[in-house]
Each structure stands twice: as C-alpha cells, then as structure tokens.
Amino acid sequence: MITFTLNGALVKTDDTPDTPLLWAVRDTFKLKGSKYGCGAGLCGACTMHVDGEAVRTCVLPISAVAGKQVTTIEGLGTPDDPHPLQQAWVVHSVPQCGYCQSGQIMSAAALLAEKPEASEAEVEQAMAGNICRCGCYPRIKQAILAVAGSGDAPTVDDLAMEVTS
Ligand code: FES
Ligand code: FES
C-alpha cells in the first residue's frame, strides 16, 4: 500500500509500486486532466507537481511519491478560485485542441512558483520541453508573461478591462 497526498487529501493505493503515477491518478483516482502523450518523458502532457516540482508522471513509478505531495491540474485551482495562469489561459484563448494544456499549465505554474517574475528567456527555457501539436506556443508564452508581468505582454487585468469595457 502506497500513501501520498493528492491535491491536499491523503490517499492510499494498492497499485503495484512500478505503476506510473499518471495511470494511478487517471485510473485509480479518476482524475483525467493529466494526459498521456508519448509515455516516454518527452512531451510534457502528463506533467504534475511532486513536492512543488514539475515532473513527467508517465515515467515516474508511484513508489517514488510515497509520503509526498502530488498536485494535478484539478488541484491547482478551482472554478471559483482559479490559478492566475488558468485565468490568463482563458483571457488569451490559449488552447486549440487542449490535449497538451494541463501539462503546459503545470510546467508554467512550477516555474512561476519559483520565479514569479520570470523573464521571456526563462519562460522559453522552462517551457521548451512541453510539446503542443497545435502550435499554440505564442499564446502559451504570452499568457505566462502576462502573469509574470514581464515583457511587453499585457497583464491579465489589462485584458480583463478590455473585455469588459
Ligand atoms: S506522456 Fe509523459 S512526457 Fe509525454
Ligand atoms: S492545444 Fe492541441 S496539442 Fe496543444
């Protein structure tokens, strides 16, 4: 039995220790926001936070998170209290098909937790490993920079004013 904290709640599972965290979260705990893309740690679609760090969970055995804090896109914010990045994603109409987006947001959230005013270069570096087949990269970067308040990107508040005025 493996015990860990999932989005703030203590959970237990008897999944085998080598079960990838992604499958435990999706199949055992029925949280489907984190996606399977490559299964080889190469695309970022499965990104979650483990003790605050962005991690590729398709290649992380669940035994590695025993006693740790796991956060998924479902735990990052709520409809009533969204994470600033989730607000920015809406304001900037970031997604196309949406498949990669939870991984993109989780990677960006880990970056901004560490560097709240990340520069454009730091955003590009941190996000380089998250693949988007739809090519939403410019809007992804713009939304992150809006939250970071760096570069020339308008802030979320600026855009909200444009929408409501
Ligand atoms: S599905 Fe995990 S990195 Fe691609
Ligand atoms: S929005 Fe379609 S893969 Fe990124």
Side-chain angles (χ1 to χ4, degrees), residues 54-163:
V55 173
R56 308 281 161 103
T57 61
C58 64
V59 290
L60 185 73
I62 194 167
S63 57
V65 302
K68 297 191 175 178
Q69 306 266 350
V70 175
T71 306
T72 70
I73 189 71
E74 291 88 347
L76 193 66
T78 66
D80 291 338
D81 185 22
H83 187 282
L85 283 168
Q86 292 170 313
Q87 297 177 46
W89 246 242
V90 172
V91 169
H92 287 263
S93 301
V94 171
Q96 191 165 317
C97 81
Y99 197 83
C100 72
Q101 297 294 329
S102 66
Q104 304 278 1
I105 291 173
M106 295 308 282
S107 290
L111 168 67
L112 294 186
E114 191 187 343
K115 295 180 179 170
E117 298 178 7
S119 67
E120 185 167 353
E122 288 169 329
V123 169
E124 286 174 356
Q125 186 180 13
M127 300 303 293
N130 280 79
I131 307 301
C132 176
R133 289 182 308 176
C134 300
C136 299
Y137 300 112
R139 293 199 300 275
I140 290 168
K141 187 166 77 173
Q142 191 180 35
I144 299 168
L145 289 174
V147 176
S150 55
D152 295 329
T155 65
V156 172
D157 288 342
D158 290 340
L159 288 164
M161 283 174 66
E162 280 176 25
V163 169

